[in-house]
Amino acid sequence: MIDSWPTSARLWHRTKASLPGGVSTGMRGSMRPHPLFFRGGRGSTLTDVDGNNYLDYVLGWGPVILGHGHPGLTEAVTRRLPLGATFGAGHELEYLAAEAVLEAVPGAERVLWSNTGSEADQIALRLARAATGRNRFVKMTGHYHGWSDAFLLGYRPDAEGRLDKPATKGQNSGALSDVSMATWGDLDSAAAILREPAQDIAAVFVEPVLCNSGVIAPPDGYLAGLRALCDETGTLLVFDEVITGFRLARGGAAELYGVRPDLVVLAKALAGGYPVAAVAGRADVLDQSTRGVVHAGTYNGNPVVLAAVQATIEALSEPGVYPAFEDHGRRLADGLRGALDRYDVTAAVNQAGPVVQVLPGLDRCDTFAQFLAGDQEWYDALTVELLRRGVFALPGGRWYLSTAHTRADVDTTVQAFGEAVAATVAVTGPPRAALCDGSVAG
Ligand SMILES: Cc1ncc(COP(=O)(O)O)c(C=O)c1O
């Protein structure tokens, strides 16, 4: 059992002198008891600077889908490195990696390379505006499309429970006027906006499975319903598959649900941990980047990360990868439910392939409003007890599995999870759902 993390604590204090909060993204600052520092990883395991080993369900907040130090991926990147970092000009991996994406993503005809999901969402929005000659877009409350001013809206309620306010200090408050918020899973809510006669909506953006707020699958027929509404109203449908792409299926949620969006945004699992993103989709929409739509980026199509894309897609194309994800995801979700039951703890567990979400205090979670009622503080206390027992899990309740995780890893984790639940209950009592009437303002 791990009691404390003295070297991590020391390094974190030192880092605070050079990085605000001692972290490279603010979200990492939410880690309890404090941000940890790591030496390296192998497969499903990470080792911290104090020498502790963890089964890793953070996986770099999602990208490390092949586990740490995957041999094929490492070899592909290492082979490229001596040839130079970037050319600012064409090279063969641009089309080879793009062809691999096009082969996987249903209906996609072109790819634009970018560096992060936040950037790729922005070019997707610009392309949709140019294609339709419209300005506004529909965003679902609780969905996350990166940290840009345009998209960081309606994600988490503020202290007054409002979702229709800027999400951060320093945000352009004018961004709000370009967005119409809809409720995830409620077709009428999207229809009311899209069928408004004077609507000026270029695109509907969705996470096709709401991974950022509860791992909530779309209700039956919902994505097809959105597709039909978009067709009826001349609006583009954009699937933000930054989490679901190459994870729920090789062709992401578009393949899993048999619905073809106009554009798909990809990142995270696309390159096994290397920084790259892409927009894939209709040729007539993406080719606008040759006809007046600016798409720029010094590092776009960088050969090192495209070597990573090619190697990652190759590894994910091995037979049995997605059935194993489903098997391990289900085993983990079932195991966590069993452990919670054993200690009489009310918590829902959602699962979509290799993504699992624990929702303390809730009997079930099918909506964003329900998600908000979960007991986050209890879960944060649980993550510390998990760390003590060698399990590294994200704050917020989401768990990612990689191809490197074995059934034995899952079983070990379930055992540790049960002990962590018991310890958390002993210290803080059981989780409590917030008093929530199922509605959120805005
Ligand atoms: C669905 C979704 N879209 C966009 C993003 C932003 O991607 P990035 O962090 O690479 O900018 C994320 C990040 O978690 C995401 O989950």
Side-chain angles (χ1 to χ4, degrees):
M1 183 104 96
I2 306 165
D3 286 330
S4 63
W5 296 265
T7 314
S8 269
R10 190 163 45 76
L11 297 190
W12 182 49
H13 286 298
R14 175 173 175 172
T15 308
K16 280 196 274 190
S18 51
L19 300 186
V23 289
S24 294
T25 118
M27 286 190 188
R28 291 181 206 160
S30 58
M31 206 186 143
R32 299 275 187 84
H34 54 75
L36 294 191
F37 284 63
F38 292 92
R39 244 185 235 159
R42 186 145 200 86
S44 56
T45 303
L46 263 185
T47 305
D48 73 12
V49 288
D50 286 290
N52 304 305
N53 293 323
Y54 306 88
L55 282 167
D56 181 16
Y57 295 89
V58 173
L59 297 177
W61 292 66
V64 188
I65 195 156
L66 303 178
H68 297 282
H70 179 273
L73 174 56
T74 307
E75 207 265 321
V77 170
T78 312
R79 206 173 341 116
R80 278 306 307 182
L81 282 173
L83 302 176
T86 192
F87 311 135
H91 59 89
E92 283 199 319
L93 279 164
E94 284 179 311
Y95 67 81
L96 292 173
E99 285 167 6
V101 170
L102 293 181
E103 203 260 311
V105 177
E109 298 167 313
R110 293 280 193 280
V111 174
L112 279 183
W113 295 120
S114 198
N115 303 290
T116 66
S118 297
E119 275 179 72
D121 274 307
Q122 289 174 79
I123 185 64
L125 177 57
R126 183 177 288 170
L127 288 162
R129 284 177 166 149
T132 57
R134 301 175 183 169
N135 187 51
R136 298 166 62 77
F137 68 100
V138 172
K139 183 190 176 290
M140 306 286 162
T141 50
H143 291 226
Y144 182 69
H145 306 296
W147 56 268
S148 70
D149 278 8
F151 283 107
L152 194 59
L153 297 161
Y155 178 51
R156 292 288 181 265
D158 66 12
E160 277 92 52
R162 300 200 66 94
L163 284 156
D164 59 351
K165 297 280 176 207
T168 165
K169 286 183 183 172
Q171 188 168 10
N172 171 14
S173 57
L176 277 164
S177 59
D178 290 340
V179 180
S180 294
M181 304 282 186
T183 303
W184 169 243
D186 176 358
L187 216 43
D188 292 341
S189 150
I193 298 166
L194 290 171
R195 290 193 176 132
E196 169 72 32
Q199 66 100 314
D200 185 29
I201 306 287
V204 174
F205 277 75
V206 285
E207 290 185 56
V209 171
L210 176 44
C211 288
N212 275 294
S213 302
V215 185
I216 301 172
D220 283 349
Y222 177 68
L223 295 175
L226 283 182
R227 176 70 277 174
L229 272 173
C230 285
D231 289 342
E232 178 192 322
T233 56
T235 312
L236 297 199
L237 180 61
V238 183
F239 278 7
D240 182 340
E241 299 228 38
V242 166
I243 292 181
T244 54
F246 288 99
R247 196 184 312 268
L248 299 193
R250 198 160 151 277
E255 176 189 322
L256 189 66
Y257 290 98
V259 173
R260 285 196 183 179
D262 300 291
L263 299 177
V264 172
V265 179
L266 299 161
K268 295 207 194 259
L270 178 61
Y274 291 85
V276 65
V279 182
R282 276 169 45 187
D284 61 323
V285 179
L286 290 168
D287 284 346
Q288 293 179 108
S289 63
T290 66
R291 296 192 303 271
V293 174
V294 173
H295 169 241
T298 302
Y299 299 112
N300 290 354
N302 172 284
V304 178
V305 295
L306 293 194
V309 169
Q310 200 187 27
T312 302
I313 296 179
E314 200 180 303
L316 292 173
S317 303
E318 292 287 324
V321 165
Y322 291 94
F325 273 158
E326 182 57 32
D327 178 62
H328 293 169
R330 203 165 278 184
R331 193 176 182 88
L332 179 63
D334 287 345
L336 302 186
R337 280 186 204 109
L340 290 158
D341 278 354
R342 203 160 43 253
Y343 295 100
D344 226 5
V345 167
T346 301
V349 178
N350 285 351
Q351 178 239 334
V355 193
V356 171
Q357 171 85 33
V358 180
L359 299 134
L362 304 180
D363 290 321
R364 55 183 303 141
C365 181
D366 307 316
T367 66
F368 176 49
Q370 287 168 343
F371 168 79
L372 291 175
D375 190 340
Q376 192 55 55
E377 261 180 56
W378 189 89
Y379 190 81
D380 287 348
L382 177 73
T383 59
V384 180
E385 295 303 332
L386 286 167
L387 276 181
R388 291 188 199 290
R389 292 160 179 83
V391 175
F392 185 41
L394 281 170
R398 192 161 65 249
W399 298 54
Y400 290 112
L401 288 152
S402 74
T403 54
H405 286 78
T406 62
R407 280 181 152 215
D409 287 339
V410 170
D411 294 345
T412 305
T413 303
V414 166
Q415 174 69 29
F417 182 84
E419 292 167 16
V421 166
T424 309
V425 170
V427 176
T428 63
R432 272 180 281 274
L435 285 179
C436 181
D437 61 3
S439 68
V440 277

